[in-house]
Amino acid sequence: MQTFLTLLISGLVIGGIYGLIALGYSLIYRASGLMSFAQGDMVTLGAYLGIFYYVWLGLPILVALVLTFITAFLFGMALERGVIRTLLKKNVIPIYIVLATIAVSYIIQNLAQAVFGSTTQWFPQVFPVANLTLFGVTNQTEAYASFVISIILMIALHLFMTKTKFGTAMRGSAMDPLAAESCGINTSLSTGITWGLAASIASLAGMMLGPMYGVFTTLGSTIGRKGFAGAVVGGYGNMYGAMIGGLLLGLAETFVAGYIDGTYKNQIAYIILIVFLFVKPTGIFNEKAIQDV
Amino acid sequence: MKRRMIAILLALVMLFGLVACGNNGTTNNGGTTNNSGEGGDTTEPEGETFRIGTYLQLTGSNSVAGNSGKQGIELAVKQINEQGGFNGATVVVENFDTQGSTEEAVKVVQKMLSGDNYDAIIGSVNSNEVSACIGYINEAKVYNFGLGTSATWMEDDSMIYTFRASCNNNRIAPLDVDLIKELGYDSVAIMNGTDDTGASTADAFEAACEEKGVTVTTRQQCDSEDTDFTGQISQIISSDPDCVFMSLIGTTFGPFVKQLRNSGYKGMIGCKECFSAEYQNVAGGSPNTDYIFYVYPYVAYTDINDCEIPNMKAFLEAYQAEYGELPAHESAYRGYDTMMAMWEASKIAGANDDESLREATHQVVCEGLGGTMDFTDGSREAYSDFYSFVLVGGKDILVEDWLADGGYEEYLATTGRDR
């Protein structure tokens, strides 16, 4: 029972992180119908920004968290304005956009290395208590915090998208840009904000991962791929599906490693992805982004 | 237009903000660094030269090892050139970045070989890259050394132009088991990476356990980019081993130890190599990193004053003077030892051609940073004797001293364990 609880809690923690990243993929898809493969690197960017604000500048953790959120938001918007929109205006085919995001991914990794070096950076613990024991399971305090923050962010985003005027405008812009424009909605701004939000959510995930795993240039690569798989499993483009998909993958890989063999831990996430693509490409939430034909 | 300008300005402000506040982790000293085999702008010294090409991972997640190796090589080259070089020829090093990719390593090595511009080649700290490349280098009959520690690429006796001046993990693995027995343990759980070095070292360790009567309670594996090990740790703890042995790579060491300690495991942890300062930081430092033991030629010093080995101390002082810091990874020692072994061979040979250097290397016996480097047994390997250390309070203590000073009893009292 103790092992089960340990695996369950750890699966939820890592699944919450996957869910946050998946949320970014889905937001971008909903807003612009595009895929960004730089989403995992936004996690890396967030972790390094966290080091910059929290460790180098010595700011309080909450201030560092807010500044990381804002900086990543601006970066996401700049990416949309400076790269994505420029390409869209040239009427390039969508694959060029995907390639551009892959290029941005490498730029972030190499820029991070140029600035912070190739050694794994130490991110000090942010809570005075290193470990917490819940239901008999001892885990790093940051791990529990990351799960709580993931849930809070998911609820906040849900409220923002459904209860606020701006969130409604964003959803409207994503569903039918022309109709939204005719209603006076600034679709250009809302798309930019969506990219900014996706980046800032991922950056918070990165900042939470830092104290747990250390910060290195490819921190977000593997986790980003898992997040993508989570988004597809949940229903690509569906925010709730993203979170559920992420949690499902986190639990699946943790239980496989705990009860079967750690060798299969990474494979299981992609096996689930393939199975869903074959059997239910619209994902758990039946999102029509990838339709079965 | 105005909005676009604002967007560009924002991007530039962030970019310059990051760059202005940052530090550059790569110091180029005495060598030229190339990405993906592009030609460099090496300033050619006057007179005869001895050109060495290196293929190292200088970017990516495990690049700290490659960059440290590069700095160790370049420091040795500087010292060698100050003392007359290789038989009067100035040593010139040109570094190529493999980016941690075996394919890229093969590509840059083939590029080095195609121009016939290099007198010797030094290979990656990543053994899978060395394994992929030495076939081509030996076919071209070019004198070469590898920096990786896996046994696999030295098993082929036909690779007669390839040498190693660091260590072979398969020679260490049985000594790790001896140490486990010396501590009075009967069982061990293994956690290994699926990379070449991680897996082959764990294989050798498991075989030695079987031979020496130590029970392996479970063997768990992870990928080199994994960050969460909860599942594997659950299996390790439920198998109730006397101690844990880890054969991992780069970024996985720190998080694994941290998560293992967080899960409540207080016992001793064996490591296939020395547990560097970088790993210790990520693992959370002492007490998480206390009671990690290893058998290895090198120690990752964090303070020069901790070092009591004269030639190692001299190296550390020179390294700090050159780069303003101590080595971030012990591969700096491997790079330095490699160059010194090559230099010694050049002195014995009295000539710098591949055949003379190859034959002379078999006669090399000299003091390295990890003890005596002795190539005379025909194995093309330098080290066969190693030190045993235990990490306590951030200090690497010789196991014999630790045991003699009552360290083990203190460990039992501190952790509340019975073994």
Side-chain angles (χ1 to χ4, degrees):
Chain A
M1 188 60 189
Q2 192 59 36
T3 304
F4 176 81
L5 269 179
T6 304
L7 295 175
L8 178 69
I9 289 174
S10 299
L12 287 174
V13 167
I14 192 70
I17 299 288
Y18 294 160
L20 276 186
I21 298 162
L23 210 56
Y25 281 110
S26 288
L27 267 177
I28 287 171
Y29 186 79
R30 292 294 292 177
S32 52
L34 297 169
M35 280 186 188
S36 170
F37 279 93
Q39 200 56 18
D41 297 282
M42 296 301 174
V43 174
T44 309
L45 180 73
Y48 278 114
L49 285 171
I51 283 187
F52 174 65
Y53 289 125
Y54 183 56
V55 182
W56 289 14
L57 298 187
L59 298 172
I61 187 67
L62 279 178
V63 177
L65 207 67
V66 170
L67 286 175
T68 296
F69 188 91
I70 292 170
T71 312
F73 181 86
L74 294 174
F75 185 87
M77 274 196 84
L79 173 64
E80 194 273 336
R81 294 290 156 113
V83 179
I84 308 301
R85 185 160 306 205
T86 307
L87 286 170
L88 283 173
K89 279 181 181 168
K90 291 179 184 293
N91 286 323
V92 298
I93 54 174
I95 190 67
Y96 282 21
I97 309 279
V98 173
L99 290 175
T101 62
I102 292 172
V104 169
S105 156
Y106 283 113
I107 289 169
I108 291 172
Q109 285 180 27
N110 284 291
L111 186 65
Q113 176 162 342
V115 175
F116 292 91
S118 56
T119 54
T120 302
Q121 300 283 318
W122 173 55
F123 199 124
Q125 66 179 62
V126 295
F127 295 102
V129 181
N131 299 318
L132 269 183
T133 303
L134 292 179
F135 308 108
V137 178
T138 304
N139 217 329
Q140 202 171 332
T141 312
E142 283 84 359
Y144 287 121
S146 72
F147 181 67
V148 173
I149 292 172
S150 299
I151 298 297
I152 290 172
L153 271 176
M154 189 181 73
I155 294 168
L157 203 63
H158 166 74
L159 293 174
F160 174 74
M161 295 300 277
T162 56
K163 304 291 181 193
T164 68
K165 211 171 164 182
F166 202 85
T168 308
M170 281 172 69
R171 285 189 295 135
S173 304
M175 287 163 79
D176 191 337
L178 201 63
E181 285 276 7
S182 64
C183 293
I185 294 170
N186 187 341
T187 55
S188 160
L189 181 66
S190 70
T191 306
I193 287 176
T194 308
W195 278 75
L197 263 181
S200 50
I201 289 169
S203 76
L204 288 189
M207 206 171 156
M208 290 185 280
L209 289 175
M212 292 193 277
Y213 307 143
V215 181
F216 46 96
T217 53
T218 53
L219 171 68
S221 302
T222 307
I223 295 172
R225 286 196 293 273
K226 301 272 182 69
F228 176 75
V232 174
V233 167
Y236 205 81
N238 187 300
M239 280 168 38
Y240 313 109
M243 207 63 207
I244 298 298
L247 286 171
L248 183 74
L249 285 192
L251 287 169
E253 66 173 32
T254 308
F255 276 106
V256 163
Y259 284 124
I260 303 172
D261 194 324
T263 315
Y264 307 119
K265 180 176 164 252
N266 286 326
Q267 294 157 24
I268 194 68
Y270 302 113
I271 289 170
I272 291 174
L273 171 67
I274 294 285
V275 168
F276 263 86
L277 283 174
F278 281 171
V279 179
K280 195 168 176 15
T282 52
I284 296 168
F285 277 71
N286 208 30
E287 189 67 36
K288 300 297 180 190
I290 310 169
Q291 275 189 301
D292 195 1
V293 287
Chain B
M1 187 63 191
K2 193 178 166 189
R3 283 179 186 165
R4 183 185 289 180
M5 287 301 291
I6 291 170
I8 293 169
L9 261 175
L10 276 172
L12 284 174
V13 166
M14 281 192 287
L15 184 72
F16 285 114
L18 279 170
V19 172
C21 297
N23 64 337
N24 193 331
T26 307
T27 309
N28 195 349
N29 175 35
T32 302
T33 302
N34 292 326
N35 289 323
S36 307
E38 293 303 314
D41 56 345
T42 313
T43 308
E44 197 66 38
E46 286 179 13
E48 195 187 345
T49 59
F50 184 86
R51 302 182 67 85
I52 298 173
T54 77
Y55 57 103
L56 298 163
Q57 182 185 352
L58 302 175
T59 55
S61 64
N62 196 34
S63 57
V64 60
N67 282 300
S68 293
K70 169 179 164 283
Q71 291 187 333
I73 291 168
E74 289 175 354
L75 177 61
V77 166
K78 186 183 174 191
Q79 294 176 355
I80 290 165
N81 282 338
E82 283 168 359
Q83 295 173 70
F86 277 28
N87 298 307
T90 305
V91 180
V92 177
V93 179
E94 196 166 354
N95 302 301
F96 291 82
D97 182 9
T98 65
Q99 300 163 29
S101 152
T102 305
E103 293 79 11
E104 194 63 29
V106 170
K107 205 168 92 182
V108 297
V109 162
Q110 286 181 332
K111 187 179 174 68
M112 278 191 246
L113 295 173
S114 66
D116 198 23
N117 291 325
Y118 297 94
D119 300 298
I121 291 174
I122 298 176
S124 178
V125 294
N126 300 336
S127 287
N128 54 335
E129 292 173 15
V130 183
S131 292
C133 294
I134 56 169
Y136 299 104
I137 304 173
N138 276 270
E139 199 177 304
K141 297 182 176 176
V142 174
Y143 182 57
N144 70 98
F145 276 68
L147 298 178
T149 57
S150 171
T152 50
W153 52 270
M154 285 294 273
E155 282 169 353
D156 186 346
D157 290 335
S158 68
M159 301 293 164
I160 58 170
Y161 290 87
T162 302
F163 295 87
R164 168 157 54 194
S166 53
C167 62
N168 177 337
N169 280 335
N170 280 20
R171 290 186 174 193
I172 293 176
L175 304 178
D176 283 313
V177 179
D178 288 342
L179 181 54
I180 284 170
K181 291 196 76 160
E182 190 184 340
L183 293 168
Y185 297 151
D186 303 317
S187 64
V188 60
I190 302 173
M191 174 71 177
N192 74 269
T194 51
D195 60 288
D196 184 15
T197 311
S200 64
T201 304
D203 287 345
F205 179 82
E206 192 171 10
C209 282
E210 194 179 339
E211 190 185 320
K212 294 168 188 279
V214 174
T215 305
V216 175
T217 58
T218 183
R219 179 170 168 179
Q220 296 293 313
Q221 300 195 81
C222 68
D223 285 348
S224 58
E225 288 187 349
D226 270 0
T227 47
D228 180 69
F229 310 101
T230 316
Q232 292 96 326
I233 287 171
S234 287
Q235 297 223 32
I236 286 171
I237 289 178
S238 62
S239 74
D240 193 26
D242 289 341
C243 63
V244 176
F245 180 76
M246 53 183 179
S247 178
L248 298 169
I249 189 170
T251 53
T252 51
F253 274 116
F256 174 72
V257 168
K258 192 179 206 174
Q259 290 169 38
L260 187 63
R261 292 300 193 206
N262 284 341
S263 68
Y265 178 78
K266 292 179 180 175
M268 297 195 72
I269 307 171
C271 186
K272 78 167 171 49
E273 61 187 62
C274 66
F275 203 72
S276 73
E278 181 194 350
Y279 303 158
Q280 290 179 47
N281 277 337
V282 177
S286 178
N288 284 358
T289 55
D290 285 351
Y291 312 119
I292 291 176
F293 64 88
Y294 60 89
V295 179
Y296 211 60
Y298 309 124
V299 174
Y301 293 99
T302 51
D303 186 340
I304 293 178
N305 296 320
D306 291 341
C307 178
E308 291 172 353
I309 305 166
N311 61 339
M312 175 62 95
K313 194 162 190 167
F315 164 79
L316 292 173
E317 284 167 352
Y319 193 95
Q320 190 162 49
E322 192 68 31
Y323 303 112
E325 60 185 7
L326 291 176
H329 193 276
E330 49 84 17
S331 57
Y333 311 146
R334 301 188 215 168
Y336 187 86
D337 271 349
T338 295
M339 276 310 308
M340 289 304 174
M342 290 171 82
W343 187 34
E344 198 61 28
S346 78
K347 285 190 265 184
I348 294 168
N352 293 341
D353 63 282
D354 296 294
E355 282 304 328
S356 302
L357 288 171
R358 184 185 72 77
E359 284 173 18
T361 304
H362 288 291
Q363 300 168 50
V364 168
V365 181
C366 62
E367 281 309 301
L369 297 176
T372 303
M373 292 197 285
D374 185 345
F375 287 89
T376 56
D377 67 358
S379 67
R380 296 175 281 124
E381 303 260 16
Y383 288 112
S384 51
D385 290 327
F386 307 98
Y387 302 111
S388 301
F389 293 95
V390 62
L391 190 59
V392 183
K395 307 275 184 207
D396 299 277
I397 305 167
L398 281 167
V399 169
E400 58 190 52
D401 293 348
W402 181 67
L403 291 172
D405 295 343
Y408 190 70
E409 288 71 25
E410 191 184 322
Y411 151 76
L412 294 177
T414 307
T415 59
R417 287 174 65 91
D418 59 357
R419 45 172 45 201

